[in-house]
Amino acid sequence: MSEHHSHSIPHWHRRSAGEHRIPVLIVVLIVIALQYVLPDRLSMKFQSEICLLEALLLLGLLVTSPGRISRHRVEVRTLGIVLTSVMTLSNIASLFLLIRLLMTSGISSPNELLLSGGSIWLANVVVFSLWFWELDRGGPGARAEARELHPDFYFPQMQDPALGGSKWEPNYFDYLYTSFTNASAFSPTDVLPLTRMAKMLMMIQAMISLMTIGLVVVS
């Protein structure tokens, strides 16, 4: 294969060194901390146990995959999906508890409302960035091995040679940015969802974000 032809192959058709897990570790710890410090009225009765479970799942990920995520491993991806699912359910439960408190006039302090709503919104951004990261082309390990030919998310750098073209590949920050813009604008901005699963995740995230921001503004 000629060098020119090799460079013209899209990044998602080529193997890569894989991503470091450290950025993901940091954001997961942030979510665990946010969920742990929420007021008792916005947490489930066993919130401490949930946070402990999340920490143990994260520890399991670090033990089984401590360095670069250079290959697809079913057990590692399963751990990541279970961890993200637990964080998602915990955050949604806190949102419904916030709704119930607002309907019963259980929150009278604007500061408490802003801090609680902001915490739930931020956790929503991080949690769905992890979903996007785990979904796109089969997850970080599968992306490193170039297992999936068709992406779930289409980034502008994929089509414009001036922005990187075939040499560019997304990392976790790109999915975090996608999640933040979707939670802020309630719709895709420059990153387009291509598959039905990607569209469904973005729709659910936008709905949660809209409910959270709407509650804070209206109240």
Side-chain angles (χ1 to χ4, degrees):
M1 183 180 294
S2 68
E3 182 179 352
H4 174 74
H5 180 68
S6 176
H7 284 297
S8 66
I9 298 176
H11 71 80
W12 58 90
H13 292 181
R14 292 186 282 111
R15 294 181 65 94
S16 67
E19 298 180 52
H20 287 289
R21 191 172 290 280
I22 296 300
V24 177
L25 165 65
I26 294 171
V27 298
V28 170
L29 287 174
I30 290 173
V31 171
I32 294 174
L34 288 174
Q35 294 181 345
Y36 186 77
V37 301
L38 274 174
D40 292 340
R41 296 184 299 169
L42 295 176
S43 302
M44 289 179 283
K45 294 181 179 179
F46 43 91
Q47 188 65 42
S48 297
E49 289 78 5
I50 291 175
C51 291
L52 177 60
L53 174 61
E54 293 169 350
L56 290 174
L57 289 170
L58 180 60
L59 180 61
L61 280 173
L62 291 176
V63 171
T64 55
S65 179
R68 281 186 178 272
I69 310 169
S70 58
R71 62 190 180 94
H72 178 74
R73 295 169 59 187
V74 174
E75 66 277 11
V76 173
R77 187 165 188 246
T78 300
L79 272 176
I81 291 176
V82 171
L83 172 58
T84 307
S85 299
V86 173
M87 292 190 297
T88 302
L89 293 174
S90 178
N91 201 51
I92 291 175
S94 294
L95 174 60
F96 281 113
L97 289 172
L98 177 62
I99 293 173
R100 187 179 69 177
L101 283 176
L102 289 173
M103 292 178 64
T104 58
S105 300
I107 294 183
S108 57
S109 169
N111 289 336
E112 183 182 4
L113 177 60
L114 286 172
L115 289 174
S116 300
S119 177
I120 293 171
W121 184 87
L122 182 59
N124 180 51
V125 170
V126 173
V127 163
F128 277 90
S129 71
L130 295 171
W131 278 119
F132 301 158
W133 183 70
E134 288 283 4
L135 169 70
D136 194 20
R137 290 187 289 124
R143 288 194 295 274
E145 293 184 346
R147 287 189 169 208
E148 300 289 338
L149 299 181
H150 304 291
D152 294 89
F153 293 95
Y154 195 69
F155 294 87
Q157 291 90 340
M158 291 179 173
Q159 61 180 335
D160 190 345
L163 299 176
S166 62
K167 298 180 181 180
W168 183 88
E169 56 185 302
N171 59 29
Y172 172 71
F173 178 80
D174 298 291
Y175 299 101
L176 179 62
Y177 165 80
T178 301
S179 180
F180 181 85
T181 54
N182 187 57
S184 304
F186 314 120
S187 65
T189 52
D190 60 336
V191 180
L192 299 178
L194 300 181
T195 61
R196 289 188 177 94
M197 181 61 72
K199 293 175 182 178
M200 184 182 72
L201 285 173
M202 294 189 80
M203 181 177 66
I204 294 172
Q205 184 198 20
M207 180 178 64
I208 294 173
S209 180
L210 182 60
M211 291 174 64
T212 306
I213 293 177
L215 285 171
V216 173
V217 172
V218 171
S219 301

